[in-house]
Amino acid sequence: MGNRFQVQDHFADGAQYIGGRLRPGTSGRTQDIVNPANGETVHSYELAGAADVDAAVDAARGAFPGWAGATPGERSDALHRFAAVLADRSADLADAESLQCGKPIKLSTEFDVPGTVDNTAFFAGAARHLQGQSAGEYSADHTSYVRREAIGVVGSIAPWNYPLQMAAWKVLPAIAAGNTIVLKPAEITPLTSLMFAEAATAAGIPDGVVNVVNGAGKDAGEQLVGHRDVAMTSFTGSTAVGKRVAEIATSTVKRLHLELGGKAPFLVFDDADLDAAVNGAVAGSLINSGQDCTAATRAYVQRPLYEAFVSGVADVMATVRLGDPFDPATDLGPLVSHLQRDRVAGFVDRARSYATVVTGGRSPGGDLEKGAYYLPTLVAGAAQDSEIVQSEIFGPVLVVLPFDSDDEGIALANDTPYGLAASAWTRDVFRAGRATREIKAGCVWVNDHIPIISEMPHGGYKASGFGKDMSAYSFEEYTQVKHVMYDNTAAVRKDWHRTIFGDR
């Protein structure tokens, strides 16, 4: 299991990116980066401590006036250059992403990296369209207009499942709107976030606009969220940690954006194209080894199709090829760590007492024994209120349950605390319309599951958080809206003054 990206050489100067250069952390503690495909350590680095966070925030604060004062065209040009640098470095980015995460190289090269380049190009264009409401006389004596202004220093925390894409989702709308940023990636997958920041500098984005600190959540993360000079916090991760982030952020009255967990339903009506639904369920549940907050995790299948769906999914799962992430033929890589693999296995093992593991449900063994691999797994016969149906597993596990009426199917789809994504499978336009209206999720696909696009927003309902990533809607998170009002009369005494003193 080889790779072409030389981590040790690239990050010899450290794994903190502050003020336009790499530097070591100062916490006195080290973190190993482990290749989950074979358990080998590929690099060790010193974690960030509170002093590193302070230095990064200082760098971002120092860069803010100049970057916020740049014209939209100047920021747009810089982001266009940024996209070009990322495209030029795409091979190294894909190798590093597969190395640290265990992603199949075809996923990194066909999804993660090109999606990030496209997102960068989108925000290069969007930077020119930060518009408020047009000027007008909404009061007879005044002209009003709305300005959108940058907030300041943004402190963002990103997860380990899509390190490169999540770095982009956090950084791009923030800096396109004129903010500066300090990003804390997951400490076990820091490589591509650092490379993303390096690419920003190579593109001519000023030092201090994009900073990256890699440290533990209790240290660097909480220091960043609670920092008095950080004006906004954006967090993607579990709902449990999101609650802690919210507690810290709200105590300092920060702007807050949360993209949290998911438990996406995959709702198959009895008129659906069965083959399409089967293939969609396998792809939607196994993408990124199931480590995707929008992955299909709960398949509800109307009873006439239920048995055929279960059989079909099991058959297709059996064809999925596990192997070396750098082999182009590999379909499914390992989970991000052995700890995560064991966590997923625990959910499935506990479910054996109340449900049936139709296929999978174990590590593959053999040549893959040293890696954090887990077979594609299908579970049937679980109750709606069981742990495996209600809790986020974050692994290659799909649970399937039957339903009878359309009312029941939609009710079951909504019956978890989460509301990030969902899909409905039907040939009936009225069924599809009802599902898209009544399923409580930030994204509802019809006859597909997973595709995302830069122009459309991503974000959830309920315990899946609030606020939007991607698209122009993300500017709602990263800008202040200011009302400006001009008097048009030049009158010394206004008519409304009489309500305070004197007569008309």
Side-chain angles (χ1 to χ4, degrees):
M1 294 184 181
N3 69 284
R4 298 180 295 276
F5 182 73
Q6 300 303 310
V7 179
Q8 303 271 8
D9 295 340
H10 194 101
F11 296 106
D13 292 334
Q16 317 300 327
Y17 197 77
I18 299 171
R21 66 180 181 90
L22 288 167
R23 52 187 265 183
T26 62
S27 70
R29 295 182 293 112
T30 59
Q31 172 69 46
D32 291 338
I33 303 172
V34 176
N35 178 353
N38 56 23
E40 294 179 0
T41 297
V42 298
H43 189 52
S44 296
Y45 69 93
E46 190 166 4
L47 288 163
D52 302 303
V53 174
D54 290 345
V57 173
D58 285 347
R61 186 178 60 178
F64 175 72
W67 184 247
T71 67
E74 289 169 337
R75 290 198 294 269
S76 175
D77 288 347
L79 286 164
H80 278 298
R81 296 193 301 270
F82 191 7
V85 173
L86 291 169
D88 187 58
R89 300 180 179 186
S90 59
D92 280 349
L93 287 164
D95 284 352
E97 196 77 335
S98 287
L99 180 66
Q100 66 182 351
C101 299
K103 294 174 186 285
I105 193 66
K106 65 179 181 179
L107 182 65
S108 294
T109 57
E110 296 178 27
F111 182 74
D112 296 69
V113 174
T116 300
V117 174
D118 182 75
N119 211 230
T120 308
F122 168 80
F123 277 105
R128 289 180 177 267
H129 298 283
L130 272 170
Q131 297 172 346
Q133 191 170 355
S134 299
E137 286 67 49
Y138 302 97
S139 154
D141 294 336
H142 304 85
T143 296
S144 290
Y145 69 90
V146 170
R147 291 176 53 89
R148 284 191 179 273
E149 297 181 351
I151 295 171
V153 177
V154 177
S156 290
I157 299 176
W160 47 254
N161 57 333
Y162 290 102
L164 178 61
Q165 286 197 317
M166 293 298 100
W169 287 16
K170 298 300 182 194
V171 170
L172 294 171
I175 67 172
N179 303 286
T180 56
I181 191 167
V182 179
L183 174 71
K184 194 202 89 64
E187 58 268 33
I188 63 172
T189 55
L191 302 180
T192 48
S193 298
L194 291 165
M195 295 165 70
F196 188 76
E198 289 177 307
T201 298
I205 293 174
D207 294 348
V209 173
V210 179
N211 307 275
V212 179
V213 292
N214 285 294
K218 284 288 187 182
D219 302 325
E222 294 200 359
Q223 175 74 5
L224 180 60
V225 174
H227 201 290
R228 68 174 182 269
D229 293 326
V230 170
M232 174 186 167
T233 292
S234 177
F235 171 81
T236 296
S238 71
T239 299
V241 177
K243 291 178 180 178
R244 175 60 180 157
V245 168
E247 289 174 0
I248 299 171
T250 54
S251 69
T252 54
V253 199
K254 286 178 170 51
R255 178 80 67 90
L256 184 61
H257 169 216
L258 298 176
E259 198 266 90
L260 307 178
K263 189 71 176 175
F266 186 99
L267 188 60
V268 182
F269 293 99
D270 58 13
D271 68 326
D273 182 324
L274 179 61
D275 289 340
V278 165
N279 283 276
V282 174
S285 63
L286 299 186
I287 186 172
N288 202 37
S289 297
Q291 298 166 129
D292 186 310
C293 51
T294 63
T297 58
R298 300 178 288 139
Y300 297 102
V301 184
Q302 207 150 25
R303 205 169 295 273
L305 297 185
Y306 177 76
E307 295 296 339
F309 180 88
V310 171
S311 176
V313 168
D315 288 345
V316 176
M317 281 185 169
T319 71
V320 173
R321 300 164 296 183
L322 281 69
D324 178 356
F326 288 93
D327 182 345
T330 293
D331 297 321
L332 193 73
L335 280 85
V336 74
S337 68
H338 289 78
L339 180 65
Q340 180 64 14
R341 190 270 312 274
D342 293 345
R343 179 181 179 274
V344 171
F347 276 102
V348 177
D349 290 343
R350 290 189 296 274
R352 296 180 196 277
S353 65
Y354 56 79
T356 300
V357 178
V358 179
T359 189
R362 61 179 179 83
S363 300
D367 294 341
L368 304 178
E369 183 62 33
K370 292 182 180 179
Y373 290 89
Y374 198 75
L375 289 170
T377 299
L378 180 64
V379 177
Q384 174 66 15
D385 62 355
S386 61
E387 177 192 51
I388 205 163
V389 174
Q390 292 291 323
S391 298
E392 188 173 32
I393 300 171
F394 233 54
V397 179
L398 177 64
V399 183
V400 58
L401 297 86
F403 71 91
D404 291 304
S405 70
D406 290 13
D407 289 349
E408 181 188 13
I410 291 174
L412 290 169
N414 285 327
D415 186 27
T416 71
Y418 301 105
L420 187 59
S423 63
W425 297 74
T426 176
R427 292 183 173 97
D428 186 323
V429 65
F430 298 104
R431 271 178 158 171
R434 181 186 178 190
T436 60
R437 290 191 305 273
E438 296 186 14
I439 293 176
K440 304 303 181 187
C443 174
V444 181
W445 293 283
V446 178
N447 295 326
D448 208 344
H449 193 110
I450 283 300
I452 55 175
I453 191 164
S454 297
E455 289 83 356
M456 289 292 112
H458 174 87
Y461 287 29
K462 302 189 295 185
S464 291
F466 48 82
K468 299 300 178 185
D469 290 311
M470 297 200 302
S471 82
Y473 289 97
S474 64
F475 288 138
E476 301 296 329
E477 319 305 324
Y478 293 99
T479 56
Q480 297 274 20
V481 174
K482 177 185 287 183
H483 171 215
V484 178
M485 184 179 244
Y486 285 91
D487 169 61
N488 292 330
T489 67
V492 174
R493 283 289 300 270
K494 318 294 187 191
D495 186 58
W496 69 268
H497 290 179
R498 66 187 174 82
T499 63
I500 312 303
F501 63 96
D503 300 318
R504 186 185 294 275

